[in-house]
PDB file of all heavy atoms in Angstrom:
ATOM      1  N   VAL A 447     -34.864  71.188 166.160  1.00 98.00           N
ATOM      2  CA  VAL A 447     -33.634  71.912 166.483  1.00 98.00           C
ATOM      3  C   VAL A 447     -33.523  73.118 165.554  1.00 98.00           C
ATOM      4  O   VAL A 447     -33.567  72.970 164.332  1.00 98.00           O
ATOM      5  CB  VAL A 447     -32.399  70.999 166.336  1.00 98.00           C
ATOM      6  CG1 VAL A 447     -31.119  71.786 166.615  1.00 98.00           C
ATOM      7  CG2 VAL A 447     -32.496  69.813 167.292  1.00 98.00           C
ATOM      8  N   PHE A 448     -33.409  74.302 166.142  1.00 97.00           N
ATOM      9  CA  PHE A 448     -33.306  75.522 165.344  1.00 97.00           C
ATOM     10  C   PHE A 448     -31.861  75.981 165.178  1.00 97.00           C
ATOM     11  O   PHE A 448     -31.521  76.628 164.193  1.00 97.00           O
ATOM     12  CB  PHE A 448     -34.140  76.639 165.985  1.00 97.00           C
ATOM     13  CG  PHE A 448     -35.616  76.462 165.792  1.00 97.00           C
ATOM     14  CD1 PHE A 448     -36.358  75.662 166.647  1.00 97.00           C
ATOM     15  CD2 PHE A 448     -36.281  77.066 164.732  1.00 97.00           C
ATOM     16  CE1 PHE A 448     -37.723  75.476 166.470  1.00 97.00           C
ATOM     17  CE2 PHE A 448     -37.637  76.889 164.538  1.00 97.00           C
ATOM     18  CZ  PHE A 448     -38.359  76.094 165.404  1.00 97.00           C
ATOM     19  N   SER A 449     -31.015  75.682 166.153  1.00 97.00           N
ATOM     20  CA  SER A 449     -29.594  76.032 166.040  1.00 97.00           C
ATOM     21  C   SER A 449     -28.777  75.008 166.813  1.00 97.00           C
ATOM     22  O   SER A 449     -29.270  74.353 167.736  1.00 97.00           O
ATOM     23  CB  SER A 449     -29.334  77.447 166.575  1.00 97.00           C
ATOM     24  OG  SER A 449     -29.714  77.542 167.935  1.00 97.00           O
ATOM     25  N   GLY A 450     -27.503  74.872 166.415  1.00 96.00           N
ATOM     26  CA  GLY A 450     -26.665  73.875 167.064  1.00 96.00           C
ATOM     27  C   GLY A 450     -27.109  72.469 166.713  1.00 96.00           C
ATOM     28  O   GLY A 450     -27.677  72.228 165.642  1.00 96.00           O
ATOM     29  N   SER A 451     -26.888  71.526 167.623  1.00 97.00           N
ATOM     30  CA  SER A 451     -27.320  70.145 167.381  1.00 97.00           C
ATOM     31  C   SER A 451     -27.490  69.434 168.716  1.00 97.00           C
ATOM     32  O   SER A 451     -26.959  69.863 169.747  1.00 97.00           O
ATOM     33  CB  SER A 451     -26.302  69.395 166.515  1.00 97.00           C
ATOM     34  OG  SER A 451     -25.082  69.230 167.231  1.00 97.00           O
ATOM     35  N   ILE A 452     -28.259  68.348 168.707  1.00 97.00           N
ATOM     36  CA  ILE A 452     -28.440  67.498 169.888  1.00 97.00           C
ATOM     37  C   ILE A 452     -27.959  66.099 169.522  1.00 97.00           C
ATOM     38  O   ILE A 452     -28.387  65.527 168.513  1.00 97.00           O
ATOM     39  CB  ILE A 452     -29.917  67.466 170.331  1.00 97.00           C
ATOM     40  CG1 ILE A 452     -30.354  68.850 170.823  1.00 97.00           C
ATOM     41  CG2 ILE A 452     -30.127  66.429 171.433  1.00 97.00           C
ATOM     42  CD1 ILE A 452     -31.796  68.914 171.297  1.00 97.00           C
ATOM     43  N   LYS A 453     -27.068  65.565 170.366  1.00 96.00           N
ATOM     44  CA  LYS A 453     -26.513  64.238 170.115  1.00 96.00           C
ATOM     45  C   LYS A 453     -27.042  63.235 171.128  1.00 96.00           C
ATOM     46  O   LYS A 453     -27.466  63.610 172.219  1.00 96.00           O
ATOM     47  CB  LYS A 453     -24.982  64.288 170.193  1.00 96.00           C
ATOM     48  CG  LYS A 453     -24.348  65.170 169.132  1.00 96.00           C
ATOM     49  CD  LYS A 453     -22.830  65.179 169.262  1.00 96.00           C
ATOM     50  CE  LYS A 453     -22.202  66.076 168.188  1.00 96.00           C
ATOM     51  NZ  LYS A 453     -20.735  66.136 168.325  1.00 96.00           N
ATOM     52  N   SER A 454     -26.990  61.968 170.756  1.00 96.00           N
ATOM     53  CA  SER A 454     -27.345  60.901 171.693  1.00 96.00           C
ATOM     54  C   SER A 454     -26.408  60.944 172.898  1.00 96.00           C
ATOM     55  O   SER A 454     -25.244  61.356 172.783  1.00 96.00           O
ATOM     56  CB  SER A 454     -27.227  59.534 171.020  1.00 96.00           C
ATOM     57  OG  SER A 454     -28.210  59.388 170.028  1.00 96.00           O
ATOM     58  N   ASP A 455     -26.927  60.506 174.042  1.00 95.00           N
ATOM     59  CA  ASP A 455     -26.132  60.403 175.273  1.00 95.00           C
ATOM     60  C   ASP A 455     -25.466  61.732 175.632  1.00 95.00           C
ATOM     61  O   ASP A 455     -24.258  61.798 175.894  1.00 95.00           O
ATOM     62  CB  ASP A 455     -25.072  59.295 175.143  1.00 95.00           C
ATOM     63  CG  ASP A 455     -25.701  57.949 174.825  1.00 95.00           C
ATOM     64  OD1 ASP A 455     -26.711  57.604 175.464  1.00 95.00           O
ATOM     65  OD2 ASP A 455     -25.197  57.261 173.916  1.00 95.00           O
ATOM     66  N   SER A 456     -26.258  62.795 175.622  1.00 96.00           N
ATOM     67  CA  SER A 456     -25.750  64.119 175.992  1.00 96.00           C
ATOM     68  C   SER A 456     -26.652  64.712 177.071  1.00 96.00           C
ATOM     69  O   SER A 456     -27.634  64.095 177.496  1.00 96.00           O
ATOM     70  CB  SER A 456     -25.695  65.033 174.767  1.00 96.00           C
ATOM     71  OG  SER A 456     -26.999  65.196 174.215  1.00 96.00           O
ATOM     72  N   VAL A 457     -26.317  65.914 177.533  1.00 97.00           N
ATOM     73  CA  VAL A 457     -27.114  66.615 178.537  1.00 97.00           C
ATOM     74  C   VAL A 457     -27.533  67.966 177.963  1.00 97.00           C
ATOM     75  O   VAL A 457     -26.716  68.692 177.389  1.00 97.00           O
ATOM     76  CB  VAL A 457     -26.323  66.819 179.852  1.00 97.00           C
ATOM     77  CG1 VAL A 457     -27.150  67.617 180.861  1.00 97.00           C
ATOM     78  CG2 VAL A 457     -25.925  65.479 180.453  1.00 97.00           C
ATOM     79  N   VAL A 458     -28.823  68.295 178.087  1.00 97.00           N
ATOM     80  CA  VAL A 458     -29.334  69.590 177.629  1.00 97.00           C
ATOM     81  C   VAL A 458     -30.013  70.279 178.814  1.00 97.00           C
ATOM     82  O   VAL A 458     -30.226  69.678 179.873  1.00 97.00           O
ATOM     83  CB  VAL A 458     -30.319  69.439 176.451  1.00 97.00           C
ATOM     84  CG1 VAL A 458     -29.631  68.815 175.245  1.00 97.00           C
ATOM     85  CG2 VAL A 458     -31.533  68.603 176.861  1.00 97.00           C
ATOM     86  N   TYR A 459     -30.349  71.529 178.619  1.00 98.00           N
ATOM     87  CA  TYR A 459     -30.951  72.325 179.698  1.00 98.00           C
ATOM     88  C   TYR A 459     -32.355  72.756 179.292  1.00 98.00           C
ATOM     89  O   TYR A 459     -32.552  73.317 178.215  1.00 98.00           O
ATOM     90  CB  TYR A 459     -30.080  73.557 179.960  1.00 98.00           C
ATOM     91  CG  TYR A 459     -30.543  74.423 181.102  1.00 98.00           C
ATOM     92  CD1 TYR A 459     -30.526  73.962 182.419  1.00 98.00           C
ATOM     93  CD2 TYR A 459     -30.994  75.719 180.869  1.00 98.00           C
ATOM     94  CE1 TYR A 459     -30.939  74.772 183.477  1.00 98.00           C
ATOM     95  CE2 TYR A 459     -31.406  76.538 181.915  1.00 98.00           C
ATOM     96  CZ  TYR A 459     -31.373  76.061 183.220  1.00 98.00           C
ATOM     97  OH  TYR A 459     -31.789  76.861 184.258  1.00 98.00           O
ATOM     98  N   ASN A 460     -33.342  72.445 180.140  1.00 97.00           N
ATOM     99  CA  ASN A 460     -34.711  72.912 179.923  1.00 97.00           C
ATOM    100  C   ASN A 460     -34.839  74.266 180.602  1.00 97.00           C
ATOM    101  O   ASN A 460     -34.911  74.355 181.831  1.00 97.00           O
ATOM    102  CB  ASN A 460     -35.713  71.909 180.510  1.00 97.00           C
ATOM    103  CG  ASN A 460     -37.155  72.281 180.230  1.00 97.00           C
ATOM    104  OD1 ASN A 460     -37.524  73.453 180.216  1.00 97.00           O
ATOM    105  ND2 ASN A 460     -37.993  71.281 180.021  1.00 97.00           N
ATOM    106  N   SER A 461     -34.857  75.322 179.802  1.00 97.00           N
ATOM    107  CA  SER A 461     -34.805  76.675 180.371  1.00 97.00           C
ATOM    108  C   SER A 461     -36.105  77.071 181.061  1.00 97.00           C
ATOM    109  O   SER A 461     -36.098  77.894 181.979  1.00 97.00           O
ATOM    110  CB  SER A 461     -34.467  77.691 179.274  1.00 97.00           C
ATOM    111  OG  SER A 461     -35.410  77.623 178.224  1.00 97.00           O
ATOM    112  N   ARG A 462     -37.219  76.504 180.630  1.00 95.00           N
ATOM    113  CA  ARG A 462     -38.495  76.848 181.257  1.00 95.00           C
ATOM    114  C   ARG A 462     -38.607  76.222 182.650  1.00 95.00           C
ATOM    115  O   ARG A 462     -39.071  76.844 183.602  1.00 95.00           O
ATOM    116  CB  ARG A 462     -39.643  76.373 180.364  1.00 95.00           C
ATOM    117  CG  ARG A 462     -41.021  76.737 180.899  1.00 95.00           C
ATOM    118  CD  ARG A 462     -42.105  76.270 179.938  1.00 95.00           C
ATOM    119  NE  ARG A 462     -43.414  76.330 180.551  1.00 95.00           N
ATOM    120  CZ  ARG A 462     -44.432  75.559 180.222  1.00 95.00           C
ATOM    121  NH1 ARG A 462     -44.284  74.652 179.286  1.00 95.00           N
ATOM    122  NH2 ARG A 462     -45.603  75.669 180.803  1.00 95.00           N
ATOM    123  N   ARG A 463     -38.175  74.974 182.768  1.00 95.00           N
ATOM    124  CA  ARG A 463     -38.248  74.262 184.056  1.00 95.00           C
ATOM    125  C   ARG A 463     -36.992  74.471 184.910  1.00 95.00           C
ATOM    126  O   ARG A 463     -36.966  74.071 186.072  1.00 95.00           O
ATOM    127  CB  ARG A 463     -38.430  72.758 183.828  1.00 95.00           C
ATOM    128  CG  ARG A 463     -39.480  72.389 182.796  1.00 95.00           C
ATOM    129  CD  ARG A 463     -40.873  72.539 183.320  1.00 95.00           C
ATOM    130  NE  ARG A 463     -41.850  72.229 182.275  1.00 95.00           N
ATOM    131  CZ  ARG A 463     -43.157  72.234 182.443  1.00 95.00           C
ATOM    132  NH1 ARG A 463     -43.653  72.550 183.623  1.00 95.00           N
ATOM    133  NH2 ARG A 463     -43.980  71.963 181.452  1.00 95.00           N
ATOM    134  N   GLU A 464     -35.940  75.049 184.258  1.00 95.00           N
ATOM    135  CA  GLU A 464     -34.655  75.257 184.931  1.00 95.00           C
ATOM    136  C   GLU A 464     -34.109  73.931 185.467  1.00 95.00           C
ATOM    137  O   GLU A 464     -33.710  73.805 186.623  1.00 95.00           O
ATOM    138  CB  GLU A 464     -34.768  76.311 186.037  1.00 95.00           C
ATOM    139  CG  GLU A 464     -35.169  77.674 185.488  1.00 95.00           C
ATOM    140  CD  GLU A 464     -35.188  78.761 186.554  1.00 95.00           C
ATOM    141  OE1 GLU A 464     -35.161  78.420 187.748  1.00 95.00           O
ATOM    142  OE2 GLU A 464     -35.218  79.945 186.178  1.00 95.00           O
ATOM    143  N   GLN A 465     -34.136  72.925 184.581  1.00 97.00           N
ATOM    144  CA  GLN A 465     -33.672  71.580 184.933  1.00 97.00           C
ATOM    145  C   GLN A 465     -32.810  71.026 183.798  1.00 97.00           C
ATOM    146  O   GLN A 465     -33.073  71.281 182.619  1.00 97.00           O
ATOM    147  CB  GLN A 465     -34.856  70.630 185.148  1.00 97.00           C
ATOM    148  CG  GLN A 465     -35.772  70.981 186.297  1.00 97.00           C
ATOM    149  CD  GLN A 465     -35.223  70.524 187.643  1.00 97.00           C
ATOM    150  OE1 GLN A 465     -34.191  69.874 187.712  1.00 97.00           O
ATOM    151  NE2 GLN A 465     -35.920  70.879 188.714  1.00 97.00           N
TER     152      GLN A 465
END
Side-chain angles (χ1 to χ4, degrees):
V447 177
F448 286 85
S449 60
S451 67
I452 294 181
K453 297 180 180 178
S454 292
D455 303 315
S456 61
V457 177
V458 298
Y459 183 66
N460 184 324
S461 57
R462 182 178 167 208
R463 314 284 178 178
E464 298 184 345
Q465 297 279 356

